[in-house]
Amino acid sequence: MDYTTLALAGLACLTGAYVQTAIGFGMAIIAAPILFYLDPDLVPGPLSFVLLVMCLVNGWRFRKGLELNLLVPALVARVPGSALGVLLLAMVSQQILAILIALVIMLGILVRLKDIALPMTRTNLAIAGFLSGVMGTSTTIGGPPMVLVMHGADMHRIRANLAGFFVVSTLMSVAALVLGGYFTLYHLQLSLPLVPAAIIGNWLAARTLHLVSRPVMHYGSLLLCTVAVIGMLINTFS
């Protein structure tokens, strides 16, 4: 990467890390379209690695609020979801994949806007975990399904459990990408210069968490889900 590309990619990762730490998710939604535009090789492998580093930091920061029993169904279901995500990268066109994912996300947004309850049952969490595996591995955008299920919880609970979920789930995605040949030493070298930017964004967000209110989190998460759909479709069909 040249210095201009590196600077822009670093800024995208810094901004994405800030948002994810503040509201629980959003790094891939913000960074993926920008990184793909700058250099397609940065997505999904390098971005997934940077996201993993940031998730480890957040997982440690919010560890006291983590509810492992709550996350088990989602994490178990994410394993076949990650495998399907790698399979889709090899077998399905990006256009078809983007349309399917967009439909799932928009359906979830509609449910939330209509105030239809999505209780955090084991079944709903398992479905969300599976979809997160498919989406996170194939596009790096795996947050929306889990967010839509956890949406009604206290924001501190959301941050803690999303952080814990993303630690394990991003590890799964990176492992699946390695096994599928989509994350190599070359991709690792692309990843490393972007890690400091993500850590800085995380650090800045940790010092402003008190400024994030419930309405900001509610509408911010729905807005980011919508942006995820738009960005994904623009990247796919451009």
PDB file of all heavy atoms in Angstrom, residues 65-78:
ATOM      1  N   GLY A  65     -19.210  -8.018  32.502  1.00  0.00           N
ATOM      2  CA  GLY A  65     -20.627  -8.102  32.159  1.00  0.00           C
ATOM      3  C   GLY A  65     -20.964  -9.247  31.224  1.00  0.00           C
ATOM      4  O   GLY A  65     -22.113  -9.386  30.787  1.00  0.00           O
ATOM      5  N   LEU A  66     -19.987 -10.097  30.938  1.00  0.00           N
ATOM      6  CA  LEU A  66     -20.174 -11.179  29.973  1.00  0.00           C
ATOM      7  C   LEU A  66     -21.057 -12.286  30.544  1.00  0.00           C
ATOM      8  O   LEU A  66     -20.895 -12.705  31.686  1.00  0.00           O
ATOM      9  CB  LEU A  66     -18.808 -11.750  29.593  1.00  0.00           C
ATOM     10  CG  LEU A  66     -18.753 -12.760  28.454  1.00  0.00           C
ATOM     11  CD1 LEU A  66     -19.270 -12.139  27.169  1.00  0.00           C
ATOM     12  CD2 LEU A  66     -17.321 -13.247  28.269  1.00  0.00           C
ATOM     13  N   GLU A  67     -22.015 -12.766  29.743  1.00  0.00           N
ATOM     14  CA  GLU A  67     -22.904 -13.866  30.128  1.00  0.00           C
ATOM     15  C   GLU A  67     -22.676 -15.035  29.167  1.00  0.00           C
ATOM     16  O   GLU A  67     -23.329 -15.150  28.128  1.00  0.00           O
ATOM     17  CB  GLU A  67     -24.361 -13.412  30.073  1.00  0.00           C
ATOM     18  CG  GLU A  67     -24.680 -12.235  30.977  1.00  0.00           C
ATOM     19  CD  GLU A  67     -26.049 -11.656  30.699  1.00  0.00           C
ATOM     20  OE1 GLU A  67     -27.038 -12.223  31.186  1.00  0.00           O
ATOM     21  OE2 GLU A  67     -26.117 -10.635  29.982  1.00  0.00           O
ATOM     22  N   LEU A  68     -21.764 -15.923  29.532  1.00  0.00           N
ATOM     23  CA  LEU A  68     -21.381 -17.014  28.634  1.00  0.00           C
ATOM     24  C   LEU A  68     -22.552 -17.943  28.330  1.00  0.00           C
ATOM     25  O   LEU A  68     -22.696 -18.424  27.202  1.00  0.00           O
ATOM     26  CB  LEU A  68     -20.218 -17.805  29.238  1.00  0.00           C
ATOM     27  CG  LEU A  68     -18.863 -17.073  29.267  1.00  0.00           C
ATOM     28  CD1 LEU A  68     -17.815 -17.929  29.958  1.00  0.00           C
ATOM     29  CD2 LEU A  68     -18.416 -16.720  27.854  1.00  0.00           C
ATOM     30  N   ASN A  69     -23.379 -18.229  29.338  1.00  0.00           N
ATOM     31  CA  ASN A  69     -24.519 -19.121  29.109  1.00  0.00           C
ATOM     32  C   ASN A  69     -25.467 -18.568  28.049  1.00  0.00           C
ATOM     33  O   ASN A  69     -26.067 -19.317  27.284  1.00  0.00           O
ATOM     34  CB  ASN A  69     -25.280 -19.354  30.423  1.00  0.00           C
ATOM     35  CG  ASN A  69     -24.487 -20.191  31.410  1.00  0.00           C
ATOM     36  OD1 ASN A  69     -23.597 -20.941  31.015  1.00  0.00           O
ATOM     37  ND2 ASN A  69     -24.802 -20.051  32.680  1.00  0.00           N
ATOM     38  N   LEU A  70     -25.600 -17.256  28.024  1.00  0.00           N
ATOM     39  CA  LEU A  70     -26.467 -16.613  27.038  1.00  0.00           C
ATOM     40  C   LEU A  70     -25.922 -16.786  25.625  1.00  0.00           C
ATOM     41  O   LEU A  70     -26.676 -16.959  24.668  1.00  0.00           O
ATOM     42  CB  LEU A  70     -26.596 -15.120  27.376  1.00  0.00           C
ATOM     43  CG  LEU A  70     -27.448 -14.264  26.428  1.00  0.00           C
ATOM     44  CD1 LEU A  70     -28.921 -14.598  26.606  1.00  0.00           C
ATOM     45  CD2 LEU A  70     -27.208 -12.778  26.686  1.00  0.00           C
ATOM     46  N   LEU A  71     -24.603 -16.772  25.483  1.00  0.00           N
ATOM     47  CA  LEU A  71     -23.974 -16.767  24.169  1.00  0.00           C
ATOM     48  C   LEU A  71     -23.751 -18.151  23.564  1.00  0.00           C
ATOM     49  O   LEU A  71     -23.480 -18.263  22.372  1.00  0.00           O
ATOM     50  CB  LEU A  71     -22.624 -16.045  24.253  1.00  0.00           C
ATOM     51  CG  LEU A  71     -22.672 -14.565  24.625  1.00  0.00           C
ATOM     52  CD1 LEU A  71     -21.260 -14.014  24.741  1.00  0.00           C
ATOM     53  CD2 LEU A  71     -23.473 -13.769  23.593  1.00  0.00           C
ATOM     54  N   VAL A  72     -23.845 -19.206  24.373  1.00  0.00           N
ATOM     55  CA  VAL A  72     -23.537 -20.555  23.887  1.00  0.00           C
ATOM     56  C   VAL A  72     -24.315 -20.932  22.624  1.00  0.00           C
ATOM     57  O   VAL A  72     -23.726 -21.401  21.641  1.00  0.00           O
ATOM     58  CB  VAL A  72     -23.754 -21.596  24.999  1.00  0.00           C
ATOM     59  CG1 VAL A  72     -23.743 -23.016  24.417  1.00  0.00           C
ATOM     60  CG2 VAL A  72     -22.665 -21.476  26.057  1.00  0.00           C
ATOM     61  N   PRO A  73     -25.657 -20.757  22.576  1.00  0.00           N
ATOM     62  CA  PRO A  73     -26.388 -21.140  21.360  1.00  0.00           C
ATOM     63  C   PRO A  73     -25.896 -20.392  20.113  1.00  0.00           C
ATOM     64  O   PRO A  73     -25.775 -20.982  19.037  1.00  0.00           O
ATOM     65  CB  PRO A  73     -27.843 -20.767  21.678  1.00  0.00           C
ATOM     66  CG  PRO A  73     -27.918 -20.732  23.160  1.00  0.00           C
ATOM     67  CD  PRO A  73     -26.584 -20.242  23.623  1.00  0.00           C
ATOM     68  N   ALA A  74     -25.609 -19.096  20.274  1.00  0.00           N
ATOM     69  CA  ALA A  74     -25.155 -18.297  19.134  1.00  0.00           C
ATOM     70  C   ALA A  74     -23.773 -18.754  18.660  1.00  0.00           C
ATOM     71  O   ALA A  74     -23.519 -18.841  17.456  1.00  0.00           O
ATOM     72  CB  ALA A  74     -25.120 -16.820  19.519  1.00  0.00           C
ATOM     73  N   LEU A  75     -22.890 -19.047  19.606  1.00  0.00           N
ATOM     74  CA  LEU A  75     -21.532 -19.450  19.248  1.00  0.00           C
ATOM     75  C   LEU A  75     -21.508 -20.837  18.603  1.00  0.00           C
ATOM     76  O   LEU A  75     -20.761 -21.072  17.643  1.00  0.00           O
ATOM     77  CB  LEU A  75     -20.635 -19.426  20.488  1.00  0.00           C
ATOM     78  CG  LEU A  75     -20.345 -18.035  21.046  1.00  0.00           C
ATOM     79  CD1 LEU A  75     -19.618 -18.135  22.377  1.00  0.00           C
ATOM     80  CD2 LEU A  75     -19.521 -17.213  20.052  1.00  0.00           C
ATOM     81  N   VAL A  76     -22.322 -21.746  19.119  1.00  0.00           N
ATOM     82  CA  VAL A  76     -22.387 -23.090  18.531  1.00  0.00           C
ATOM     83  C   VAL A  76     -22.926 -23.013  17.105  1.00  0.00           C
ATOM     84  O   VAL A  76     -22.391 -23.642  16.179  1.00  0.00           O
ATOM     85  CB  VAL A  76     -23.266 -24.017  19.395  1.00  0.00           C
ATOM     86  CG1 VAL A  76     -23.528 -25.341  18.667  1.00  0.00           C
ATOM     87  CG2 VAL A  76     -22.599 -24.288  20.746  1.00  0.00           C
ATOM     88  N   ALA A  77     -23.972 -22.223  16.911  1.00  0.00           N
ATOM     89  CA  ALA A  77     -24.586 -22.102  15.585  1.00  0.00           C
ATOM     90  C   ALA A  77     -23.690 -21.357  14.610  1.00  0.00           C
ATOM     91  O   ALA A  77     -23.838 -21.500  13.391  1.00  0.00           O
ATOM     92  CB  ALA A  77     -25.935 -21.394  15.699  1.00  0.00           C
ATOM     93  N   ARG A  78     -22.758 -20.561  15.122  1.00  0.00           N
ATOM     94  CA  ARG A  78     -21.891 -19.804  14.237  1.00  0.00           C
ATOM     95  C   ARG A  78     -20.872 -20.685  13.519  1.00  0.00           C
ATOM     96  O   ARG A  78     -20.359 -20.324  12.467  1.00  0.00           O
ATOM     97  CB  ARG A  78     -21.150 -18.697  15.004  1.00  0.00           C
ATOM     98  CG  ARG A  78     -20.647 -17.597  14.062  1.00  0.00           C
ATOM     99  CD  ARG A  78     -19.791 -16.591  14.770  1.00  0.00           C
ATOM    100  NE  ARG A  78     -19.610 -15.381  13.988  1.00  0.00           N
ATOM    101  CZ  ARG A  78     -18.731 -15.243  12.989  1.00  0.00           C
ATOM    102  NH1 ARG A  78     -17.976 -16.259  12.643  1.00  0.00           N
ATOM    103  NH2 ARG A  78     -18.633 -14.094  12.344  1.00  0.00           N
TER     104      ARG A  78
END
